[in-house]
Amino acid sequence: MHTQYPEAVESLIATFRQFPGVGRRGAERMVLALLGWEPERIDEFGRLLVALPGRIGHCPECGALAEAGRRCQICSDPSRDSGLLCVVETMAQLFAVESSGHYSGRYLVLGGRISPLEAETGDGLNLATLKARIDSGRVREVILALSSDVEGRATAVYLADLLRDSPVRVTRPALGLPAGANLSYVDAATIGAAFSGRSELD
Amino acid sequence: MHTQYPEAVESLIATFRQFPGVGRRGAERMVLALLGWEPERIDEFGRLLVALPGRIGHCPECGALAEAGRRCQICSDPSRDSGLLCVVETMAQLFAVESSGHYSGRYLVLGGRISPLEAETGDGLNLATLKARIDSGRVREVILALSSDVEGRATAVYLADLLRDSPVRVTRPALGLPAGANLSYVDAATIGAAFSGRSELD
């Protein structure tokens, strides 16, 4: 007979395991930690969870997460440059760009990418919103800040094609060595991109 | 202005960060994953959480987690050897011993250990249950399977002292090289223990 935790614990372990990056051991540690919490704190956690779907929606202008029925923080900010539109796949990528502190334009969150191998054709992507933004005539440059893997490149090619007839400039971030990189730990494709994009030392 | 997720998302990220081994990035990934779940699945998760404190208690015989008001799976199993009592600090250690498949006795979960540096004197430990088990007269050997760090050793010394006048044999697992170990990666204390405990090759 395989020894198990009581059923209420096993069900929660199984639920926590469904999160990305959480394995059996991690889920066990989390549920065991939970058993040390005050019941009121667990109730509060449960309430926050159950309320989540009703409180969160997508910003109608960019597709980012926002309070339900409202525009997101960035689209509501009049100081951002509406002429620059940075296209990202996910909220996590949006936050990565934001936290760099090097971008003051607006975003469009695609909500996914095109994956020919997984038959994802772009039907689920936020393309209508992208077109509406371009058609508004205020965007002068679209920065395709997509992943530099196969699906990210497929999506970039698809979008560049879609935007071909519009007057906006379509760019992508530079490929090259990451800041502080030691060449001995950098992969061949990155070194290739860094060498072909090399610039004069000034 | 620092860009943040909507408040409902930030509160949940803060909650997930309270789990051991979960940092800001991990908590973000978990909450973003949650946003992709069906509301019914999130409700079910919330229900499991809120029900947890009422459904789980401690086994009156060994202190392990059990269905509220009931004995644990191991204490209810008549095939286990009641003459052997393995003392562990936590449920996680109990499961480690169980999953080795090399032990068929019973357990006692202390629920902590003595830490002179943190002024933990053993008041919170499950010592009354341990004494009751010894006084029952059925235990012939107590195996102190505690951690081999300072607190674990302090706890072992304390318990050995407590059991000095009882007729039971008090043992601890052997110290030595872990299975499959390469000597070049083993710490000095372990090598020392393995060398002083060396045995004839047969």
Side-chain angles (χ1 to χ4, degrees), chain A residues 102-139:
Chain A
H102 281 87
Y103 182 69
S104 60
R106 311 238 174 220
Y107 291 92
L108 190 117
V109 182
L110 279 182
R113 58 227 203 123
I114 292 171
S115 172
L117 287 176
E118 293 170 36
E120 288 179 17
T121 54
D123 291 348
L125 301 186
N126 204 3
L127 297 178
T129 316
L130 174 60
K131 280 190 187 139
R133 291 288 277 271
I134 304 295
D135 291 344
S136 76
R138 293 206 291 173
V139 177

Side-chain angles (χ1 to χ4, degrees), chain A residues 33-34 36-46, chain B residues 15 18-19:
Chain A
L34 205 53
W37 289 18
E38 295 295 320
E40 296 72 36
R41 213 167 132 210
I42 298 182
D43 280 352
E44 173 64 18
F45 184 19
Chain B
T15 305
Q18 293 168 11
F19 288 107

Side-chain angles (χ1 to χ4, degrees), chain A residues 3-5 7 15 18-20 30 33-35 41-43 45 49-50 55 65 67 73 95 98, chain B residues 3-5 7 15 18-20 30 33-35 41-43 45 49-50 55 65 67 73 95 98:
Chain A
T3 303
Q4 287 201 311
Y5 288 98
E7 202 231 315
T15 306
Q18 293 167 12
F19 289 107
M30 293 173 81
L34 205 53
L35 284 164
R41 213 167 132 210
I42 298 182
D43 280 352
F45 184 19
L49 275 176
V50 171
R55 288 183 61 188
L65 292 179
E67 314 281 343
Q73 215 177 343
F95 274 91
E98 272 302 285
Chain B
T3 304
Q4 287 201 312
Y5 288 98
E7 201 231 316
T15 305
Q18 293 168 11
F19 288 107
M30 293 173 80
L34 205 53
L35 283 163
R41 215 167 130 210
I42 298 182
D43 280 352
F45 184 19
L49 276 175
V50 171
R55 287 183 61 188
L65 293 179
E67 313 281 343
Q73 213 178 344
F95 274 91
E98 272 300 287

Side-chain angles (χ1 to χ4, degrees), chain A residues 1-12 15-16 18-22 24-26 28-35 37-39 41-43 45-53 55-57 65-67 73-74 77 80 91-92 94-96 98-99, chain B residues 1-12 15-16 18-22 24-26 28-35 37-39 41-43 45-53 55-57 65-67 73-74 77 80 91-92 94-96 98-99:
Chain A
M1 185 180 63
H2 182 60
T3 303
Q4 287 201 311
Y5 288 98
E7 202 231 315
V9 172
E10 286 290 343
S11 318
L12 268 175
T15 306
F16 275 104
Q18 293 167 12
F19 289 107
V22 178
R24 168 84 199 179
R25 295 297 277 274
E28 271 180 30
R29 283 174 69 198
M30 293 173 81
V31 178
L32 293 177
L34 205 53
L35 284 164
W37 289 18
E38 295 295 320
R41 213 167 132 210
I42 298 182
D43 280 352
F45 184 19
R47 270 197 300 274
L48 282 173
L49 275 176
V50 171
L52 185 70
R55 288 183 61 188
I56 297 299
L65 292 179
E67 314 281 343
Q73 215 177 343
I74 294 170
D77 180 353
R80 313 273 310 205
M91 278 303 286
L94 182 156
F95 274 91
E98 272 302 285
S99 66
Chain B
M1 184 181 64
H2 181 60
T3 304
Q4 287 201 312
Y5 288 98
E7 201 231 316
V9 172
E10 287 290 342
S11 317
L12 267 175
T15 305
F16 274 105
Q18 293 168 11
F19 288 107
V22 179
R24 168 85 199 177
R25 295 296 278 274
E28 272 181 30
R29 283 174 70 198
M30 293 173 80
V31 179
L32 292 177
L34 205 53
L35 283 163
W37 290 18
E38 296 295 320
R41 215 167 130 210
I42 298 182
D43 280 352
F45 184 19
R47 270 197 300 276
L48 283 173
L49 276 175
V50 171
L52 185 71
R55 287 183 61 188
I56 297 298
L65 293 179
E67 313 281 343
Q73 213 178 344
I74 293 170
D77 180 354
R80 312 272 313 204
M91 278 303 287
L94 182 156
F95 274 91
E98 272 300 287
S99 66

Side-chain angles (χ1 to χ4, degrees), chain B:
Chain B
M1 184 181 64
H2 181 60
T3 304
Q4 287 201 312
Y5 288 98
E7 201 231 316
V9 172
E10 287 290 342
S11 317
L12 267 175
I13 290 175
T15 305
F16 274 105
R17 283 194 68 177
Q18 293 168 11
F19 288 107
V22 179
R24 168 85 199 177
R25 295 296 278 274
E28 272 181 30
R29 283 174 70 198
M30 293 173 80
V31 179
L32 292 177
L34 205 53
L35 283 163
W37 290 18
E38 296 295 320
E40 295 73 35
R41 215 167 130 210
I42 298 182
D43 280 352
E44 173 64 18
F45 184 19
R47 270 197 300 276
L48 283 173
L49 276 175
V50 171
L52 185 71
R55 287 183 61 188
I56 297 298
H58 290 281
C59 170
E61 293 193 20
C62 73
L65 293 179
E67 313 281 343
R70 295 177 55 182
R71 290 193 305 170
C72 74
Q73 213 178 344
I74 293 170
C75 287
S76 322
D77 180 354
S79 74
R80 312 272 313 204
D81 181 353
S82 295
L84 277 176
L85 187 66
C86 176
V87 178
V88 291
E89 296 157 11
T90 63
M91 278 303 287
Q93 291 176 354
L94 182 156
F95 274 91
V97 177
E98 272 300 287
S99 66
S100 78
H102 281 86
Y103 181 69
S104 60
R106 311 236 174 220
Y107 291 92
L108 190 117
V109 182
L110 279 181
R113 57 225 204 128
I114 292 171
S115 172
L117 288 176
E118 293 171 34
E120 288 180 17
T121 55
D123 292 348
L125 300 187
N126 204 4
L127 296 178
T129 316
L130 174 60
K131 279 190 187 140
R133 291 288 278 272
I134 302 296
D135 292 345
S136 76
R138 292 206 291 175
V139 177
R140 61 180 187 280
E141 177 175 347
V142 171
I143 304 169
L144 298 177
L146 306 165
S147 302
S148 54
D149 57 9
V150 176
E151 287 89 359
R153 282 201 298 264
T155 311
V157 167
Y158 179 83
L159 293 181
D161 202 50
L162 203 73
L163 299 173
R164 177 151 302 158
D165 297 329
S166 68
V168 299
R169 192 177 161 215
V170 178
T171 60
R172 68 163 186 185
L175 293 175
L177 302 176
N182 176 332
L183 266 182
S184 31
Y185 305 120
V186 176
D187 64 287
T190 303
I191 292 180
F195 272 64
S196 43
R198 67 193 181 277
S199 61
E200 300 294 332
L201 205 68
D202 48 20

